[in-house]
Amino acid sequence: MSVHLTELLSSAPAYPRRVVCMTEETTEVLYRIGAGELVVGVSGFTVRPPEARKKPRVSSFLDANFERILELKPDLVLGFSDLQADLGRELCKRGVPVYLFNQRSVAEILQSVRLTGALVGRAEAAEKLAEELTANLTRHADAAESLPRRPRIFFEEWHEPLISGIRWCSELVELVGGVDVCRESRASQGAKGRIFEPEEVARRDPEGVIASWCGRKAKRDKISARPGWEKVTAVVDDQLYEVKSSLILQPGPAALSDGVERLARIVSAIARGEKLPVPKGADLRGG
């Protein structure tokens, strides 16, 4: 091989070696597949794994410190959702390679795991992780078959306005044995298509409510005081639950492991006429 060709081919690594993750799930995937050393910048909302929080925090969900990102000299920036399209466009204009995921379903989450690994040359490890997550989903789906009944569940992602669960949350509620009372809304790409009047949800009479308010602590009085909710079965029976948004609203491994585990415990308890305890310092029952 000529010296010139050697220099030409060595001007960039075969795969990215300095990755900035503007959302949590890609950070978790990279660490789970043994590629955590590639991560040079993370979202300020990152919680998994704990050691990733030591990396420079360069973004929130809707904002990014572009100058800080450029200082890190990334050869790949990973993001999620059309809501980060403006951030991605700005980075592209500044010469940074960007890949924006837009997964909404459980199947798409598994696909994004595989894609993340492939982008950094760790496809085999990513496939193994996807298979592990799939096996966990299969275990929960099989367990749901033994439930005495399928309780009606309302998963709420936000409270004012009242927004039902994004598609993967709805799918996971049903996978573990529940019936999502707002199932039709999960086809909506954006949150605007998942807004419901409280009276309409009350009419559907959920037997359990699972709140995950996107980074804000859910409040019992905010739920029970809604118009028409005094007769909702979930309120009457005190089957009001909270799952931390970091576990279920992150479209990656967390949702398909710890998140689905919490949902399964909640739905199982409601189906069997039981109640899970209220964690210390919490306002709602936990999973």
Side-chain angles (χ1 to χ4, degrees), residues 55-124:
K55 299 293 178 79
R57 302 181 191 182
V58 298
S59 67
S60 60
F61 188 59
L62 298 178
D63 296 290
N65 186 332
F66 298 115
E67 299 306 323
R68 183 68 179 112
I69 291 174
L70 292 175
E71 288 173 1
L72 295 172
K73 298 183 176 3
D75 46 14
L76 178 63
V77 172
L78 299 175
F80 161 69
S81 167
D82 50 293
L83 295 176
Q84 289 197 331
D86 288 342
L87 304 184
R89 181 170 58 248
E90 180 61 28
L91 287 167
C92 283
K93 288 166 62 177
R94 298 187 185 213
V96 180
V98 177
Y99 193 106
L100 285 183
F101 293 95
N102 211 13
Q103 65 269 29
R104 289 296 190 277
S105 68
V106 169
E108 289 169 350
I109 290 174
L110 291 168
Q111 182 189 75
S112 72
V113 168
R114 295 182 173 98
L115 277 172
T116 300
L119 286 169
V120 297
R122 307 287 179 94
E124 185 175 345

Side-chain angles (χ1 to χ4, degrees), residues 149 207-209 220 232-242 262 264-279 284-287:
R149 62 190 187 86
E207 298 167 85
V209 172
R220 178 183 299 275
V232 169
T233 300
V235 174
V236 174
D237 293 346
D238 191 20
Q239 292 284 22
L240 307 178
Y241 292 86
E242 179 176 27
R262 301 300 196 280
R265 292 177 191 167
I266 293 168
V267 172
S268 177
I270 298 170
R272 301 178 191 282
E274 301 168 353
K275 296 178 183 179
L276 298 180
V278 178
L284 300 177
R285 299 184 187 280

